[in-house]
Amino acid sequence: MKALSVIVICSSFALAACGTGNQIRVGADGRPLSQVYTINSAQEAKIPFRLLDSVNALRAAKGAVPLQYNAQLNAAAATHSRDMSVQNRPWHFGSDGSSPLDRVRRVGYTGHLIGENISETFETELETLSAWMAEPSTREVIMDPKATEVGFAWFQEQNGKIWWTMVTGT
């Protein structure tokens, strides 16, 4: 019987050692601690399509037309993501005082600007989309039935902080 107990205990330790190391860390309040989402080169190509697919699924559920990526809106979003990092604050004005409308005009966008969503976070694009959908003002930018085009970009700092920007237009 002792031999069986020893085998069971040793087996338990052996199985515990086989863990992936991706344990969820929990804070003193019992809630999961934030983890840094590091964007690597393999992720870079996938992120825009995961976001677009998710946005279009949300829009389809409400009967809205799907959005298409627009290179000019992507450029405006990329410029603003980097600029927010330089300013170290999430807001809709550029370091030169530019507004979202100014930025889309600068890149040659001739459509109508619907809106801009921004975020400063360590979270994934889908977690960021979820946060935007939870707020009425940012949800309106995503779900506006007039929107037909989208630009989406990010800038990740060395410390892992990500500055996300989404711009919609028609």
Side-chain angles (χ1 to χ4, degrees):
M1 186 67 166
K2 285 185 181 182
L4 182 58
S5 296
V6 170
I7 291 172
V8 169
I9 290 171
C10 289
S11 298
S12 297
F13 285 126
L15 287 173
C18 293
T20 63
N22 292 333
Q23 304 294 325
I24 295 176
R25 298 178 324 162
V26 179
D29 61 358
R31 300 182 75 189
L33 294 174
S34 296
Q35 295 182 14
V36 174
Y37 174 52
T38 303
I39 300 172
N40 59 38
S41 58
Q43 293 286 356
E44 283 183 12
K46 296 175 184 175
I47 289 171
F49 297 104
R50 277 196 303 255
L51 182 94
L52 185 62
D53 289 346
S54 298
V55 165
N56 284 338
L58 292 166
R59 289 176 60 84
K62 294 292 186 183
V65 299
L67 300 181
Q68 301 289 322
Y69 272 123
N70 176 285
Q72 293 161 325
L73 293 179
N74 283 342
T79 298
H80 193 54
S81 291
R82 182 152 182 90
D83 190 47
M84 285 189 297
S85 171
V86 169
Q87 296 182 72
N88 196 32
R89 63 179 170 182
W91 74 325
H92 293 284
F93 295 95
S95 56
D96 61 355
S98 63
S99 70
L101 185 57
D102 295 330
R103 288 189 295 277
V104 299
R105 285 184 178 155
R106 281 182 191 160
V107 296
Y109 186 67
T110 57
H112 174 74
L113 174 69
I114 299 290
E116 177 183 74
N117 288 341
I118 58 173
S119 179
E120 167 197 20
T121 185
F122 291 90
E123 296 179 328
T124 70
E125 68 282 358
L126 298 181
E127 290 169 315
T128 301
L129 176 60
S130 179
W132 284 338
M133 289 299 290
E135 291 294 322
S137 62
T138 50
R139 181 176 52 244
E140 284 179 29
V141 171
I142 296 166
M143 301 302 290
D144 190 311
K146 295 182 297 276
T148 57
E149 298 177 307
V150 65
F152 177 71
W154 66 90
F155 178 78
Q156 186 164 35
E157 296 178 354
Q158 290 289 335
N159 66 6
K161 184 188 293 183
I162 307 170
W163 301 87
W164 301 103
T165 304
M166 173 191 278
V167 184
T168 58
T170 186

